[in-house]
Amino acid sequence: MSKTQNDLISLIGNTPLVKVRNIDTGNCELYLKLENQNPGGSIKDRIALSMIENAEKAGKIKSGDTLIEATAGNTGLGLALIAILKGYKLILVIPDKMSGEKVAHLKAMGVEVLQTRSDVGKGHPEYYQDMAKRISEEKGYYYIDQFSNPDNSLAHELTTGPEILSQMNGDVDAVVAGVGSSGTISGMAAFFKKANPSTELVLADPEGSILKDYIDKGEYGEAGSWYVEGIGEDFIPEIADFSLTKKAYSISDKDSFNTAREVLLKEGILAGSSSGTLIAAALEYCREQTEPKRVVTFVCDSGNKYFSKLFNDHWMKEKGFIEKETFGDLRDLISNYYDKGEVVTASIEDTLLDAYKKMKMYDISQLPIMDGDEILGIIDESDILFSVYDDESAFERFVAEYMTSNLVVIESSDSIDRLMEIFRDGMVAILVNGGKFVGLITKIDVLNHLRQQTATDKGKG
């Protein structure tokens, strides 16, 4: 057993390395460095500690000061941990595509979170880095600036690289890394140039990021968009060192998310979205090799930050990342199927209080009222509100007394035009197939369908 530590800071780093056993790695051995085992839950604990402690040593900050940073989430969590332990106030500017779990985690740690647009690029006043810098100048806060801060990559040069080489007994052929602020891959370059120059660095890049093109061609065009969090860029970070990076892979959101799910299913490791990108790229690299190699990549953070996204089947289906059965009719539009237990319902034996609790628990505004497998009506939050406002005792009465039983039923073989007529009339569309209840078609279901159709048409063009 290791000795008791005085604080969490001493637990940052020295993370375990584990071999992939149950996924095909071709001729290679693939090892995962479990950075999710850091006390803040990610690889970014390392750089948070380095950037704050080196700023303290340089006399730039002292306990009690206010720090501000632009982050996709995990750097923020690492900074929040160090800020708590060292007595700083922390403000974070984050893009609005970040998972709700990260935002909730940060706020629970006392961080002031400012969310801004994720659909704008560098130079726009609402771009997260530009906003953080502007606020720091206006308020006199210390801007950490991980994208230009050399203490970012220094953390990996002094800790991560040496740990990998030691854990691999000096024998490591390639390290696969992603780039957000570029600290990991740049620190790896600085270390391995001196310690083991034959080690190849491989870039894992989300589709839409400009970095693969930069590695391959030395130039790049406009950035696209991607759902993976924490890696991929629309510019080259100031501290970036790609001198040992000769190979790059562009990984789709779909492959990233499904790889992360596969790693949990087959290896038992709960990895986040960027880890899925890295491991997918590492697997591609490994399977391409004709000679055996020893390869390392990272589990950058824990998947517990993404249960509302990549580990949520409904979200994955909505985004088209999980293939679902297709029927060639209106059944293809809905997200939740009654016969698969995906539709939250109320029974005719439920009270209004029961219905209210289900709406609150599942964050929904309407419930089908069922008698066995037969739908008898619909009740929504307005029905409950007006009923109990007039008579609080209504909470104890059966939903059947207050439900709307004049239902608009649409057959799966009907047209979208018919569906739109129902929506224009302000009615709920109840989908049946051969008389059997399938589910509710919502406006957002149709919007998702039209958006996916548009994206598919553009892809064909």
Side-chain angles (χ1 to χ4, degrees):
M1 296 289 290
S2 61
K3 294 180 181 178
T4 299
Q5 303 297 322
N6 289 327
D7 57 43
L8 287 177
I9 287 177
S10 59
L11 297 177
I12 294 173
N14 294 309
T15 55
L17 196 69
V18 63
K19 185 177 181 179
V20 171
R21 296 284 183 182
N22 301 310
I23 300 175
D24 175 22
T25 59
N27 288 318
C28 299
E29 294 178 357
L30 177 60
Y31 295 85
L32 306 179
K33 189 154 175 63
L34 303 183
E35 292 297 299
N36 58 342
Q37 300 299 304
N38 280 303
S42 87
I43 194 170
K44 299 297 188 176
D45 286 9
R46 296 176 185 267
I47 70 168
L49 179 62
S50 176
M51 292 187 296
I52 288 180
E53 286 199 336
N54 282 300
E56 288 175 334
K57 290 174 185 175
K60 296 177 181 178
I61 57 173
K62 63 184 184 304
S63 182
D65 288 348
T66 298
L67 316 179
I68 188 168
E69 179 58 325
T71 172
N74 281 323
T75 298
L77 288 166
L79 290 170
L81 175 66
I82 306 303
I84 286 171
L85 297 177
K86 287 180 170 284
Y88 293 97
K89 180 182 178 183
L90 180 63
I91 301 171
L92 296 176
V93 183
I94 68 172
D96 57 15
K97 75 172 185 177
M98 296 306 106
S99 71
E101 290 92 336
K102 284 183 184 176
V103 175
H105 192 166
L106 289 168
K107 289 181 176 179
M109 296 180 81
V111 175
E112 182 179 344
V113 176
L114 306 176
Q115 288 187 273
T116 188
R117 292 169 60 179
S118 58
D119 62 342
V120 294
K122 204 168 179 64
H124 191 285
E126 292 188 63
Y127 184 65
Y128 72 129
Q129 294 171 43
D130 294 333
M131 182 182 285
K133 184 177 181 181
R134 183 176 68 252
I135 293 172
S136 73
E137 292 169 349
E138 292 172 353
K139 301 291 188 179
Y141 302 148
Y142 179 72
Y143 180 35
I144 294 170
D145 193 9
Q146 61 179 312
F147 299 90
S148 303
N149 193 326
D151 295 323
N152 177 346
S153 55
L154 183 65
H156 297 294
E157 179 183 357
L158 297 182
T159 68
T160 318
E163 286 174 29
I164 289 172
L165 194 60
S166 174
Q167 288 169 314
M168 296 291 286
N169 296 315
D171 183 8
V172 53
D173 296 297
V175 176
V176 181
V179 167
S181 61
S182 79
T184 305
I185 208 162
S186 301
M188 295 293 100
F191 173 73
F192 282 106
K193 276 178 190 176
K194 302 171 185 174
N196 198 35
S198 63
T199 298
E200 182 181 5
L201 298 185
V202 179
L203 172 66
D205 206 31
E207 280 187 4
S209 170
I210 56 94
L211 298 171
K212 182 182 187 300
D213 281 348
Y214 181 76
I215 297 298
D216 292 345
K217 308 172 191 175
E219 58 185 20
Y220 55 89
E222 286 189 19
S225 60
W226 56 95
Y227 283 102
V228 167
E229 299 179 26
I231 58 172
E233 276 302 349
D234 53 6
F235 73 105
I236 305 300
E238 187 177 318
I239 61 172
D241 179 359
F242 295 125
S243 56
L244 290 187
T245 307
K246 308 301 181 186
K247 183 76 173 174
Y249 294 88
S250 184
I251 306 296
S252 68
D253 285 322
K254 181 177 181 179
D255 286 345
S256 296
F257 295 147
N258 283 305
T259 298
R261 290 166 70 105
E262 183 182 16
V263 168
L264 178 58
L265 185 65
K266 295 183 178 178
E267 302 291 336
I269 297 171
L270 184 60
S273 61
S274 61
S275 306
T277 307
L278 269 60
I279 298 168
L283 289 169
E284 279 197 43
Y285 176 86
C286 287
R287 292 164 186 168
E288 287 178 0
Q289 304 309 306
T290 56
E291 299 292 332
K293 289 187 176 180
R294 287 160 58 84
V295 181
V296 173
T297 193
F298 302 93
V299 174
C300 309
D301 70 346
S302 171
N304 62 16
K305 301 181 180 75
Y306 308 92
F307 282 126
S308 63
K309 290 189 173 184
L310 77 94
F311 293 109
N312 182 322
D313 285 354
H314 297 314
W315 186 87
M316 291 284 286
K317 287 175 184 176
E318 280 183 5
K319 304 302 180 186
F321 299 142
I322 291 180
E323 300 297 332
K324 62 179 184 179
E325 185 180 2
T326 57
F327 303 94
D329 56 35
L330 292 181
R331 285 175 290 176
D332 294 340
L333 272 63
I334 67 175
S335 301
N336 303 316
Y337 295 88
Y338 174 71
D339 64 356
K340 295 181 180 178
E342 297 170 344
V343 179
V344 181
T345 65
S347 162
I348 57 170
E349 298 176 353
D350 284 337
T351 64
L352 281 187
L353 182 59
D354 295 327
Y356 161 72
K357 288 179 177 178
K358 287 184 179 181
M359 288 180 183
K360 187 176 179 181
M361 178 181 294
Y362 294 102
D363 193 22
I364 54 179
S365 60
Q366 59 191 13
L367 287 171
I369 309 303
M370 308 296 295
D371 183 8
D373 290 333
E374 181 184 359
I375 181 167
L376 299 183
I378 291 282
I379 193 163
D380 65 23
E381 58 191 2
S382 296
D383 297 325
I384 298 177
L385 172 61
F386 294 130
S387 299
V388 301
Y389 182 77
D390 293 332
D391 178 9
E392 289 185 10
S393 66
F395 266 129
E396 306 305 322
R397 299 199 183 102
F398 292 120
V399 291
E401 296 180 41
Y402 302 93
M403 70 184 182
T404 300
S405 55
N406 184 19
L407 304 178
V408 180
V409 175
I410 184 169
E411 272 285 347
S412 59
S413 57
D414 281 336
S415 66
I416 292 185
D417 289 341
R418 170 63 183 133
L419 184 60
M420 295 306 294
E421 290 175 10
I422 296 172
F423 288 155
R424 287 191 182 100
D425 290 338
M427 304 296 288
V428 176
I430 297 166
L431 184 65
V432 299
N433 183 59
K436 292 184 177 180
F437 177 53
V438 177
L440 306 180
I441 303 184
T442 66
K443 296 180 182 72
I444 196 66
D445 287 334
V446 180
L447 281 170
N448 287 337
H449 169 75
L450 294 174
R451 181 68 187 95
Q452 289 172 13
Q453 194 173 54
T454 302
T456 301
D457 290 343
K458 282 184 178 179
K460 289 177 181 177

